[in-house]
Amino acid sequence: MKKPGGSRSGLEPRFAAGLAYLGGALTGIIFLIIEKQDRFVRFHAMQSTITFLGVVIVHFVLRGLPVVGPVLTFAFIVGIVILWAVLIFKAFSGERYKLPYIGDWAEQQIK
């Protein structure tokens, strides 16, 4: 039986928030659709969606750059993998970790 005010997904909120980052924007969107009540899960799902849609755009721009594109793309991907791991860890830890600018924007979108 679900607790009142709990996650609609049936998952513990910290677990659901961490899963929202697991597949990038795709899982972020899925959790935004599924979860309508828990603001913690919705915040992390929105932050995941915004962050990783931006990552896809920047990745394609970098890949299109001649000469320096491959080097910048590699460095960018390494940084994104580290960011992705940190975001998952913070969400699983129950922390409402806000990325600069993106976190504020995500928070505004879920109101």
Side-chain angles (χ1 to χ4, degrees):
M1 179 174 273
K2 282 179 20 178
K3 294 184 282 186
S7 174
R8 184 171 174 224
S9 67
L11 300 171
E12 200 273 324
R14 293 183 308 167
F15 187 69
L19 288 179
Y21 290 108
L22 197 60
L26 179 62
T27 51
I29 291 167
I30 290 169
F31 274 95
L32 282 172
I33 292 168
I34 293 172
E35 184 56 61
K36 300 293 184 197
Q37 298 173 359
D38 192 300
R39 292 183 54 78
F40 178 75
V41 175
R42 287 188 53 77
F43 166 76
H44 283 289
M46 182 61 75
Q47 184 166 258
S48 174
T49 301
I50 294 169
T51 300
F52 291 105
L53 285 177
V55 163
V56 169
I57 292 167
V58 171
H59 176 74
F60 281 118
V61 169
L62 289 177
R63 287 193 52 159
L65 295 175
V67 183
V68 296
V71 174
L72 292 177
T73 299
F74 177 75
F76 180 70
I77 289 172
V78 169
I80 292 305
V81 168
I82 293 168
L83 174 66
W84 176 71
V86 167
L87 290 172
I88 291 172
F89 176 77
K90 296 283 190 178
F92 278 142
S93 298
E95 186 176 337
R96 190 181 179 103
Y97 181 76
K98 288 178 20 176
L99 292 171
Y101 306 108
I102 294 172
D104 291 333
W105 191 28
E107 206 165 53
Q108 290 172 357
Q109 298 306 309
I110 64 167
K111 288 184 179 181

